[in-house]
Amino acid sequence: MTSEQQHSKGGTAANPANANPSSANHVKIFDTTLRDGEQSPGCSMNLEEKIQVAEMLEAMGVDVIEAGFPIASNGDFEAVREVAARVRNSRVAGLARATTKDIDRAWEALKGAEAPRIHTFLSTSPLHMKFKLQMEPEAVHQAVIDSVSYARNLCDDVEWSPEDGTRTEHDFLVRCVESAIKAGARTINIPDTVGYTVPEEFHDLIAMLMNRVPNIDQATLSVHCHNDLGLAVANSLAAVRAGARQIECTVNGIGERAGNCAMEEVVMALRTRSDVLPYDTRVDTRKITPASRLVSTITGFSVQPNKAIVGANAFAHESGIHQDGMLKNAQTYEIMTPESVGLTRSTLVMGKHSGRHAFKAKLEELGFTLSDNQLQDAFVRFKDLADRKKEVFDEDLVALVDDAVMRHNDHVRFVEMSVVCGSKGPQTAELTLEVEGRRKVAKAEGNGPVDAAFEAIRAIVPHEAKLMLYQVHAVTGGTDAQAEVTVRLEENGKTVNGQGADHDTIVASVRAYVNGINKMMVKREKTAPPVQAAE
């Protein structure tokens, strides 16, 4: 019997009682959703959204929240500073390259934190040193010492990373790690920057550092794995077995290219298989599903149905053999309970006669806590939906709430629209949007009602963004199902995803496009820092 089944048998979804942050087997969770996760093509978060995610991560019990890359833009700087000011129960980290300008900017953003951390990095692989940095190894080694020493004079907690660490020559890696620790780094992070390594190889690399770096006992060894070969979680767990005690990860595994180690997967692997992985974290796993939904909603990155832990099919059983076994004993085909990751089944049935109090209680049962404005917006749309649908499912409410969360603090808001469509053209759309508090109306023709509606948006909010993706799916079954629409917009090499939900597919499409426009406005302010890319 696995440890997860033992917990389930006891009827609790709480974390293991032996989770002790000071124990030798405690694994720190370093969440970089707000930094590396936001580097996903199409992903963009505004200040309010970053704060929402940070507060969720803090509530989960994440040890370290990497809030951003302060030198990247004024928006990133403000986000890191605001997260640092609000978060009190997790460390807050900011990324900086090995330059005094980067490190000063990071410290300026972090210094108001209860527990700040400067995370600085420099490439160490032969390939990166020669072609990217154009520096000799001796100069790189000295830059490691200088940057860590400078950061340590500002902040007690410094983390150092050798970018492209898994392709760095072992002797040089050992030398740099030892020097970084001597200079004051108390966390050494080994990134698999290009997702190239495999579990056995990575285990041996971490074991080599544990054996060969003489002062390794003075620092926590961390790992940051990318998922290009689908091995980020496996590599991270292999590293823990070899002595690493911090895992860098993101909610839903988002991140540039194929993404990062998925926080929900690595945490639940440690919890479920504590018989062979006797390590603990302090993450409250019951908040995993709400966190997944929040990040998916804000970023516009839908979670694939077969995604481990948080996918829609993660606890679904269609095979007759599986269903029969589940009815007799859930442990026959479930190695963890849905409740252990915060997936609750509803006991309240919602309909058109349900009041605001019942609606709020229902959302809390589903793991949502909304502001008064968000709650009011969602409630109005719920009543409208309930008038049109015989049954309002949990999935309908999740879509409504997600949409309400996305609209918070938007520059452009949907107000109303009407369309004329059919087999005989022209198809037209008359649209009203609120732009910075002022209502604007436009009427446009198009090749179908969706195209006409999008042309009306362009007339009200002129822009050069191109529509790269338009995708529709039904939230539930039946002809009265809500539509959930995803769009991807591209402008000057920058991409954003927008999402919208409504019982009317055309309205959902407009909501998604407007959501994308709002995100593009945020993205326009961001500029990539020159020379060195983040690990």
Side-chain angles (χ1 to χ4, degrees), residues 140-151 160 175-176 179-180 183:
V140 170
H141 178 250
Q142 188 59 49
V144 171
I145 297 170
D146 293 343
S147 59
V148 172
S149 298
Y150 187 79
W160 178 73
R175 186 180 173 205
C176 287
S179 295

Side-chain angles (χ1 to χ4, degrees), residues 163-192:
E163 187 178 9
D164 206 20
T166 52
R167 296 192 297 179
T168 298
E169 294 176 344
H170 284 195
D171 288 347
F172 187 63
L173 184 61
V174 167
R175 186 180 173 205
C176 287
V177 168
E178 180 181 359
S179 295
I181 296 172
K182 283 182 179 178
R186 289 297 168 260
T187 302
I188 298 294
N189 176 56
I190 307 300
D192 183 27

Side-chain angles (χ1 to χ4, degrees), residues 253-382:
I254 65 171
E256 55 186 337
R257 303 188 315 278
N260 291 278
C261 172
M263 187 257 280
E264 62 280 357
E265 294 179 24
V266 79
V267 166
M268 289 309 295
L270 289 172
R271 174 180 166 169
T272 304
R273 293 308 310 273
S274 62
D275 54 331
V276 293
L277 295 165
Y279 313 101
D280 60 70
T281 73
R282 69 184 189 108
V283 171
D284 183 350
T285 62
R286 294 167 298 184
K287 291 183 169 58
I288 282 177
T289 296
S292 172
R293 286 172 177 163
L294 178 66
V295 170
S296 176
T297 298
I298 286 175
T299 61
F301 277 37
S302 299
V303 176
Q304 67 195 59
N306 62 329
K307 167 78 167 64
I309 313 300
V310 292
N313 293 347
F315 295 95
H317 302 274
E318 186 157 330
S319 163
I321 295 174
H322 286 207
Q323 290 174 342
D324 180 66
M326 286 291 296
L327 289 171
K328 293 174 180 175
N329 188 321
Q331 292 178 12
T332 54
Y333 288 102
E334 280 188 355
I335 61 172
M336 66 193 85
T337 65
E339 292 79 13
S340 69
V341 296
L343 185 61
T344 57
R345 297 304 180 190
S346 176
T347 57
L348 286 172
V349 177
M350 303 299 292
K352 64 181 180 179
H353 299 298
S354 299
R356 181 186 171 98
H357 180 74
F359 180 69
K360 182 179 180 181
K362 173 75 166 184
L363 296 186
E364 290 174 350
E365 186 179 292
L366 291 172
F368 293 104
T369 302
L370 302 186
S371 68
D372 289 341
N373 289 339
Q374 290 172 333
L375 181 64
Q376 180 60 26
D377 180 49
F379 182 65
V380 169
R381 291 181 59 191
F382 157 70

